[in-house]
Amino acid sequence: MDNEKFQELILQQLGALTDGQKGLQKDIQALQKDIQTLKSGQGTLQKDVTAIKSELGFVWEDIKKLDSRLSAQGEELVILKQLK
């Protein structure tokens, strides 16, 4: 292999490496954007979970009130049946 062919081969390989590096840089930038999007989504999800936990507390309070009312009505029903 003469010197010119060797230099051509080196330049071709260098071009291929440069193209590959550009592709990798684009991929890294896309991944960074995706990471930012995921972080934003995670923040929103955490807020939503906090809101759901808060609402769930109110739901349990309502369930306890309903259970208490049903228990009282059940007791009254037993008494009414006994009076018949």
Side-chain angles (χ1 to χ4, degrees), residues 3-4 13 32-34 36 47 53 55 64-66 69 71 74 78 82:
N3 192 27
E4 286 182 27
Q13 295 296 321
Q32 288 173 335
K33 288 179 183 177
D34 290 345
Q36 291 296 358
K47 289 177 186 176
K53 284 181 179 180
E55 292 296 321
K64 288 178 185 177
K65 289 177 186 176
L66 288 171
R69 290 178 190 163
S71 295
V78 169
Q82 290 174 350

Side-chain angles (χ1 to χ4, degrees), residues 6-55:
F6 179 73
Q7 287 178 353
E8 248 181 70
L9 180 64
I10 294 297
L11 288 175
Q12 287 174 355
Q13 295 296 321
L14 185 58
L17 286 173
T18 302
D19 291 342
Q21 184 180 9
K22 287 177 184 177
L24 287 173
Q25 287 173 337
K26 287 179 184 178
D27 291 344
I28 288 171
Q29 289 172 350
L31 284 172
Q32 288 173 335
K33 288 179 183 177
D34 290 345
I35 288 170
Q36 291 296 358
T37 302
L38 288 173
K39 285 182 179 179
S40 173
Q42 183 181 8
T44 302
L45 182 61
Q46 286 174 338
K47 289 177 186 176
D48 291 345
V49 167
T50 301
I52 289 170
K53 284 181 179 180
S54 174
E55 292 296 321

Side-chain angles (χ1 to χ4, degrees), residues 52-68:
I52 289 170
K53 284 181 179 180
S54 174
E55 292 296 321
L56 190 58
F58 294 121
V59 169
W60 275 114
E61 287 177 21
D62 291 345
I63 289 172
K64 288 178 185 177
K65 289 177 186 176
L66 288 171
D67 186 49
S68 173

